[in-house]
Amino acid sequence: MEILVVAHPIVRSRLSVMRDRDSSNAEFRAALRELATLLVYEATRELQVRDTTVTTPVAVTTGAAIANPPLLVPVLRAGLGMAEAAFNLLPESQMGFVGLARDEATHLPTPYMASLPESLTGRPVIVLDPMLATGGSLQHCLELLHARGAEDVTVVCALAAPEGVAKIESGGLAQMLVTASIDERLNEDAYIVPGLGDAGDRQFGPR
């Protein structure tokens, strides 16, 4: 699995807003939306394009169009904060959804929804999830995609823990991980340290 940590100054700035415990829900959402735009931009550098003919006001020239638009898959609920930014960059794309809730006692994912095309054979997929902590939820999502034939999967996360990165890498179902930071570790409650808290609660308020 290729791992890309994006160290752009604007990326670092927006991630710092998200880490700040005093940032409001609105400030957190805005920073995540801007961060997601930058991360998805980096994640799509190798998308295939096809030549098109474009008529400008003065001449005919060769342009480009996305040849095989990816399926965007936000992991609910936290991934919703990245979905609009990704869709704005890739309006040619379609979107699927995977809903997973974390069991606070076991730290294991509890699936409650999957809305995905029946076949993803030959189709690139971009998974959107702000946090890669233990990797359990993301691995479950990757298994759902793999069962539908997905073989070209990029994961985009605001930040990750080394434990989660190792789990996803060992699973062998993602080809690329793009993130703004790989943090120090997980604590005893399986939260990323220093992290930013619960990304869903920071966006939408506690459940």
Side-chain angles (χ1 to χ4, degrees):
M1 181 176 72
E2 180 183 355
I3 299 172
L4 174 61
V5 179
V6 181
H8 191 284
I10 300 176
V11 167
R12 295 177 60 195
S13 171
R14 298 307 181 265
L15 182 57
S16 295
V17 172
M18 293 169 62
R19 290 192 192 276
D20 189 343
R21 67 179 183 181
D22 293 326
S23 293
S24 67
N25 294 142
E27 290 169 331
F28 187 98
R29 289 193 302 270
L32 176 58
R33 185 170 57 250
E34 293 165 3
L35 178 63
T37 299
L38 296 166
L39 294 178
V40 172
Y41 174 83
E42 293 293 343
T44 52
R45 282 187 178 273
E46 301 302 321
L47 276 183
Q48 294 182 351
V49 296
R50 57 180 172 80
D51 289 343
T52 61
T53 299
V54 178
T55 303
T56 80
V58 295
V60 176
T61 188
T62 300
I66 303 299
N68 187 13
L71 179 73
L72 305 174
V73 182
V75 179
L76 306 180
R77 67 178 169 149
L80 282 175
M82 305 174 76
E84 180 184 5
F87 230 167
N88 285 342
L89 277 179
L90 293 162
E92 312 92 336
S93 296
Q94 294 179 333
M95 190 171 289
F97 299 92
V98 173
L100 298 164
R102 167 174 138 142
D103 187 308
E104 296 298 337
T106 65
H107 306 148
L108 296 175
T110 302
Y112 62 86
M113 173 190 166
S115 178
L116 298 166
E118 284 299 316
S119 175
L120 293 171
T121 302
R123 191 171 184 181
V125 179
I126 298 177
V127 178
L128 306 166
D129 194 352
M131 311 282 286
L132 172 52
T134 65
S137 295
L138 192 50
Q139 182 62 25
H140 178 83
C141 178
L142 293 172
E143 289 169 358
L144 289 175
L145 297 170
H146 181 72
R148 288 164 168 77
E151 296 181 343
D152 179 7
V153 181
T154 297
V155 175
V156 178
C157 298
L159 77 167
E163 296 91 336
V165 173
K167 183 176 182 67
I168 297 308
E169 192 165 25
S170 66
L173 300 180
Q175 283 62 58
M176 186 176 189
L177 168 66
V178 180
T179 185
S181 175
I182 298 178
D183 279 12
E184 296 173 13
R185 58 184 172 86
L186 295 177
N187 66 14
E188 61 276 7
D189 294 319
Y191 279 95
I192 300 174
V193 178
L196 48 78
D198 184 295
D201 289 354
R202 295 291 307 276
Q203 291 180 77
F204 308 118
R207 283 177 283 210

